[in-house]
Amino acid sequence: MVHFFVFWILMSFIIYTPCNILQSCVKAFAISESAEEQIYKVLPGTGLVIGFQYKGQLSRIENEKLKPLNSAGLTGLHDSFHVFKNAAGTGTVLVYFKEAGAAQFFNMPLHELFKESISLENFMLRSELLIVEEKLCESKTNEKRIKIIEQFLITRMQLKEPDNLVLAALSLIHKTRGIIRMQELLKQLNTSQSPLEKRFRRVVGTSPKKFASIVRFKHTIQNYNPQNSLTALGYESGFYDQAHFIKEFKNFTGETPETFFTQQ
């Protein structure tokens, strides 16, 4: 099951499965539309995201300031929540990459995008991007918009050999729900820190340790049981200091565990 930590009030958010050619790299597509202006929060995920706005304007709120996003942009991994504001009548096609999936489309080391959102103009000719944006604006159905983006990705997809060391690291991190010491990870992979860090950061978008912390909090939120105490939840998430758990949880979600789960 695919989990997207998106909170909205008056927003249409429809998820689409990618075509067979893209399924090794793309987790899902989504069409997000909002008839009214609103502010909403998105929690960190484990894969990079492309957004194509085909109508309206989407902005990110940083330090109480509004930062308009590019009409077509790539967002790297991040380890804390983001707050967005959309204008009335905003529509966006979102591409959610699988972990290490974006490396099949971009040649730059993906860790350079950590906490960043940059225009797709940095990766292709503006004239090529304009053609895609015009097609999206002219399309009348979501299905046509998805097909336009699928074709765009297929033409830019590169045939790179997967990095088996990185894939093995990802598997172990998920198997342990992100609760694994880096020395133990290195031992099980029979490697040293420097090569793993370099290769992992390049194709995943952040360090193994930071990625593990994102996985850990995703599991914490997904597996929350209101019948159990928040203290027990902290222990299950690998925190033996409740104050540390609350601090890290608030950095990830913007709220304390008690406040966050009360609102769910």
Side-chain angles (χ1 to χ4, degrees):
M1 182 178 180
V2 178
H3 293 271
F4 297 107
F5 296 104
V6 181
F7 301 84
W8 66 92
I9 301 173
L10 299 171
M11 181 183 293
S12 168
F13 193 82
I14 307 172
I15 296 173
Y16 295 85
T17 301
C19 64
N20 292 337
I21 297 175
L22 295 172
Q23 284 185 9
S24 63
C25 302
V26 177
K27 181 185 297 184
F29 295 105
I31 300 286
S32 171
E33 289 196 350
S34 177
E36 299 183 15
E37 178 181 283
Q38 62 179 305
I39 296 174
Y40 59 97
K41 181 189 297 183
V42 177
L43 301 189
T46 55
L48 280 71
V49 180
I50 291 179
F52 294 89
Q53 295 167 41
Y54 54 88
K55 62 179 180 178
Q57 176 65 58
L58 181 63
S59 302
R60 198 164 83 192
I61 299 176
E62 296 182 356
N63 300 319
E64 300 184 353
K65 294 182 179 179
L66 210 58
K67 180 181 179 181
L69 297 180
N70 298 294
S71 57
L74 175 65
T75 298
L77 296 187
H78 49 101
D79 59 354
S80 61
F81 68 97
H82 284 167
V83 178
F84 294 91
K85 180 178 181 179
N86 62 257
T90 297
T92 308
V93 181
L94 296 162
V95 181
Y96 292 93
F97 287 105
K98 290 185 175 180
E99 296 148 5
Q104 295 293 329
F105 303 88
F106 303 98
N107 290 320
M108 69 179 296
L110 295 182
H111 68 268
E112 294 181 7
L113 288 169
F114 188 66
K115 293 187 177 182
E116 299 292 336
S117 293
I118 65 174
S119 172
L120 286 184
E121 290 184 40
N122 291 278
F123 306 99
M124 59 189 296
L125 294 174
R126 176 58 182 160
S127 57
E128 294 177 337
L129 189 56
L130 279 173
I131 292 173
V132 176
E133 293 178 333
E134 288 173 1
K135 288 181 178 179
L136 287 175
C137 292
E138 293 170 357
S139 298
K140 303 302 181 183
T141 67
N142 289 342
E143 289 71 19
K144 288 184 179 179
R145 295 185 182 104
I146 295 299
K147 288 188 179 299
I148 290 167
I149 300 305
E150 284 185 327
Q151 189 58 42
F152 165 78
L153 292 173
I154 290 170
T155 59
R156 302 190 64 81
M157 191 174 182
Q158 306 167 32
L159 296 177
K160 298 179 182 178
E161 287 294 324
D163 190 321
N164 290 325
L165 177 64
V166 172
L167 294 180
L170 287 169
S171 178
L172 282 171
I173 290 171
H174 279 293
K175 185 178 180 180
T176 60
R177 298 177 300 164
I179 308 172
I180 184 170
R181 294 185 180 276
M182 290 302 103
Q183 288 303 314
E184 179 62 25
L185 180 65
L186 295 172
K187 179 180 178 181
Q188 293 199 38
L189 294 174
N190 192 29
T191 188
S192 57
Q193 182 173 350
S194 181
L196 176 61
E197 285 262 355
K198 183 177 180 180
R199 291 159 64 174
F200 196 99
R201 280 159 50 88
R202 180 177 183 85
V203 301
V204 176
T206 189
S207 68
K209 183 175 181 180
K210 182 65 68 175
F211 183 84
S213 72
I214 296 171
V215 170
R216 176 171 57 176
F217 273 102
K218 283 171 64 70
H219 276 282
T220 298
I221 292 169
Q222 291 169 5
N223 298 321
Y224 169 69
N225 185 341
Q227 296 181 345
N228 297 332
S229 69
L230 292 176
T231 300
L233 181 65
Y235 287 142
E236 291 171 3
S237 302
F239 291 93
Y240 299 100
D241 181 333
Q242 191 69 3
H244 187 206
F245 171 57
I246 293 172
K247 179 182 178 181
E248 292 295 316
F249 191 96
K250 189 172 183 180
N251 179 68
F252 191 84
T253 67
E255 298 165 303
T256 65
E258 182 177 11
T259 301
F260 180 86
F261 290 117
T262 299
Q263 295 175 351
Q264 301 306 299

